[in-house]
Amino acid sequence: MDHGRTTISVVVPFYNEAAGVEAFFARLFSVADAMPDYEFDVVAVNDGSTDVTLARLLEARERHGRIHIVDLSRNFGKEAALSAGLDRARGEAVIPIDSDLQHPPELIPDMIRRWRAGAEVVLARRNDRVTDGPLQKFAAGMFYRMHNVIAETKIPPDVGDFRLMSQEVVEVLRGMPENRRFMKGLFAWVGFRSEVIPYDVAPRLEGKSRFNVWKLWNFALEGITSFSTVPLRVWTYIGAVTSLLALVYAAYIVIKTIFFGTDLPGYASLMVGVLLLGGIQLIGIGVLGEYIGRIYGEVKRRPVYVVRKEFTVER
């Protein structure tokens, strides 16, 4: 490491991205080479890829140098891969970025200027979601609105993992003990002085997004249950209101029976009541189960990721 230059760590998760590895590093190092006052240290995390991504990363390491490869033992997910990269990022500033080039590396010099001017976190916010399908746009909009209404920690809309963080911010993130990590929420929770840079999202370099509706739904659940207990509290009020209505209806039945006698019992109304209350109870149990599942996952204290092998950069 050249101690006369400022080191910038770039953290890049890879999962089955073999076709785009060389194009990504060509763009990234083109930007890095135009900034001679900075030394770029890349941490590439192979998140259990089943294609030849690791081989392509090793080729890129031979060609470009400056690439520290972390090969995980299986696919642990992007949040774990980011954590593995942040754990090894020793630069004075750290930049997580996707490898599909939807996050433009050309934005990095502006990020560094904002950081040098005093920002501890520089967020990259996408101008639009033209590369997403209608369902993805709707789901993303609903998630941000719902999350920011019920959670104490607000997540900036349309801001992903692409950002610059000072080493002080990354140190705080490393010290957070969660096993199930919702990184967008953790990034927002730590705070620090932040600035926002808008950017236009480019089409994916290769392939298509792996986030289908089911994964987006589970991702939203993970975020909401990580940073809000409102879903649990809501069921207290639902239960109270339902009990009150049941008491009012019971009083009505008693009074009606005393003064007007009994009617022939109605099968339909009975079934509606049973199914309605049963459905409410099952939904409540499901919400409770989400939180119990998180507790179960945390108390086991398994590691967030497992490393098969590391290929470090020779200094």
Side-chain angles (χ1 to χ4, degrees):
M1 181 181 295
D2 185 347
H3 294 284
R5 296 192 294 169
T6 301
T7 302
I8 307 295
S9 290
V10 181
V11 175
V12 198
F14 288 86
Y15 178 64
N16 291 346
E17 306 280 358
V21 167
E22 182 52 37
F24 169 78
F25 283 116
R27 284 268 297 274
L28 177 63
F29 285 122
S30 175
V31 171
D33 292 341
M35 305 179 68
D37 293 335
Y38 297 91
E39 180 177 1
F40 281 77
D41 180 28
V42 180
V43 182
V45 183
N46 179 40
D47 187 21
S49 297
T50 56
D51 62 0
V52 293
T53 294
L54 178 59
R56 296 291 179 267
L57 288 173
L58 290 171
E59 291 171 3
R61 179 172 175 269
E62 289 295 322
R63 187 176 299 110
H64 299 285
R66 298 176 286 176
I67 302 175
H68 177 165
I69 301 173
V70 182
D71 184 30
L72 302 187
S73 62
R74 64 170 176 83
N75 177 236
F76 286 89
K78 187 180 180 183
E79 312 296 283
L82 276 173
S83 298
L86 293 177
D87 286 345
R88 290 156 177 79
R90 299 300 177 218
E92 294 171 55
V94 180
I95 303 174
I97 186 173
D98 287 352
S99 62
D100 57 15
L101 292 178
Q102 288 196 297
H103 296 165
E106 291 77 13
L107 205 64
I108 290 175
D110 197 10
M111 287 179 157
I112 294 175
R113 281 193 292 271
R114 304 289 184 98
W115 168 59
R116 284 300 200 188
E120 294 164 304
V121 178
V122 182
L123 307 172
R125 174 181 288 159
R126 56 196 300 170
N127 284 322
D128 51 52
R129 307 190 74 92
V130 294
T131 58
D132 292 347
L135 187 58
Q136 285 181 308
K137 291 180 185 178
F138 175 77
M142 286 297 295
F143 165 71
Y144 284 116
R145 284 193 290 272
M146 181 182 298
H147 184 280
N148 289 342
V149 165
I150 68 176
E152 294 182 6
T153 301
K154 311 302 180 187
I155 297 178
D158 298 323
V159 172
D161 301 319
F162 187 29
R163 62 189 64 212
L164 179 147
M165 298 174 288
S166 69
Q167 183 61 228
E168 291 76 15
V169 177
V170 176
E171 285 289 346
V172 175
L173 289 167
R174 288 193 194 107
M176 300 180 81
E178 285 94 336
N179 283 54
R180 297 180 62 172
R181 304 173 71 82
F182 179 67
M183 297 305 294
K184 284 185 177 64
L186 296 180
F187 288 151
W189 185 89
V190 298
F192 292 93
R193 292 190 302 272
S194 302
E195 288 193 26
V196 176
I197 300 178
Y199 74 100
D200 294 321
V201 179
R204 288 178 63 87
L205 179 66
E206 295 286 343
K208 60 181 181 179
S209 175
R210 297 180 181 88
F211 268 95
N212 54 32
V213 176
W214 179 247
K215 288 184 178 180
L216 286 170
W217 169 253
N218 286 325
F219 187 70
L221 280 180
E222 189 73 23
I224 290 170
T225 55
S226 293
F227 287 90
S228 176
T229 58
V230 169
L232 287 174
R233 199 175 306 131
V234 162
W235 287 100
T236 302
Y237 298 115
I238 291 176
V241 170
T242 304
S243 298
L244 180 61
L245 291 175
L247 287 173
V248 170
Y249 185 66
Y252 165 76
I253 293 296
V254 170
I255 293 171
K256 182 180 177 184
T257 301
I258 291 172
F259 289 98
F260 302 102
T262 58
D263 293 329
L264 183 67
Y267 175 78
S269 59
L270 177 63
M271 288 303 298
V272 167
V274 169
L275 293 174
L276 175 62
L277 292 175
I280 291 174
Q281 289 174 335
L282 288 174
I283 294 172
I285 291 170
V287 172
L288 187 62
E290 286 290 333
Y291 284 90
I292 293 174
R294 289 193 62 81
I295 296 170
Y296 177 64
E298 292 292 335
V299 298
K300 287 186 289 188
R301 306 309 301 162
R302 290 176 182 168
V304 177
Y305 56 85
V306 177
V307 176
R308 175 186 287 115
K309 189 173 183 180
E310 290 194 50
F311 304 86
T312 58
V313 177
E314 295 182 4
R315 303 298 185 187

